[in-house]
Amino acid sequence: QVQLVESGGGLVQAGGSLRLSCAASRRTDSRYAMAWFRQGSANEREFVATIAWNGGRTYYGDSVKGRFTISRDSAANTVYLQMDSLKPEDTALYFCAAGSNLILSSLRDWRRYLYWGQGTQVTVSS
């Protein structure tokens, strides 16, 4: 069992930045990928970014590529999402998720992730 706790959300103007954090209750081994998803007004869960715990390879959703950066601090069992050049359409509830033994084709599928945080709200004003 892994508990995930997100923090760092808030209200920011368009063009601004925020950094989200996701703290895991225990160390996850190399089989795990950690990801960020978001759920906006359309109420669909959208893939944002993921990082493989083993090797640190990263993948991004098309809508955030070049603006968001996912990273990890293995010693602190924490994953970060640096969000720059924020847009109003980035407004959403952001979730951290963890999944194990995920193959490349399933990294963007939220249904493949077993553990979820409670979410942190990000609101970008125009």
Side-chain angles (χ1 to χ4, degrees):
Q1 186 78 9
V2 179
Q3 276 93 40
L4 303 173
V5 179
E6 305 98 333
S7 60
L11 174 64
V12 64
Q13 287 189 327
S17 298
L18 280 175
R19 189 175 83 152
L20 305 183
S21 300
C22 172
S25 60
R26 64 170 178 83
R27 184 177 183 85
T28 53
D29 62 35
S30 60
R31 298 170 298 166
Y32 275 81
M34 302 290 292
W36 290 95
F37 289 82
R38 67 187 183 185
Q39 193 161 326
S41 57
N43 213 33
E44 295 174 354
R45 198 158 293 192
E46 178 189 4
F47 170 74
V48 175
T50 192
I51 184 165
W53 210 254
N54 180 20
R57 292 190 66 178
T58 58
Y59 304 88
Y60 295 93
D62 290 340
S63 62
V64 307
K65 203 173 295 182
R67 299 187 297 122
F68 291 9
T69 304
I70 189 171
S71 62
R72 75 196 195 287
D73 181 340
S74 302
N77 299 331
T78 300
V79 174
Y80 303 99
L81 184 69
Q82 177 66 39
M83 305 186 295
D84 298 318
S85 302
L86 282 161
K87 305 175 182 180
E89 50 263 44
D90 294 319
T91 295
L93 187 62
Y94 283 71
F95 295 93
C96 177
S100 65
N101 298 316
L102 299 180
I103 60 176
L104 184 60
S105 61
S106 63
L107 286 175
R108 298 168 184 260
D109 185 351
W110 65 268
R111 296 166 295 182
R112 303 296 184 181
Y113 288 81
L114 185 58
Y115 303 109
W116 291 83
Q118 81 289 349
T120 185
Q121 179 67 36
V122 171
T123 302
V124 184
S125 63
S126 58

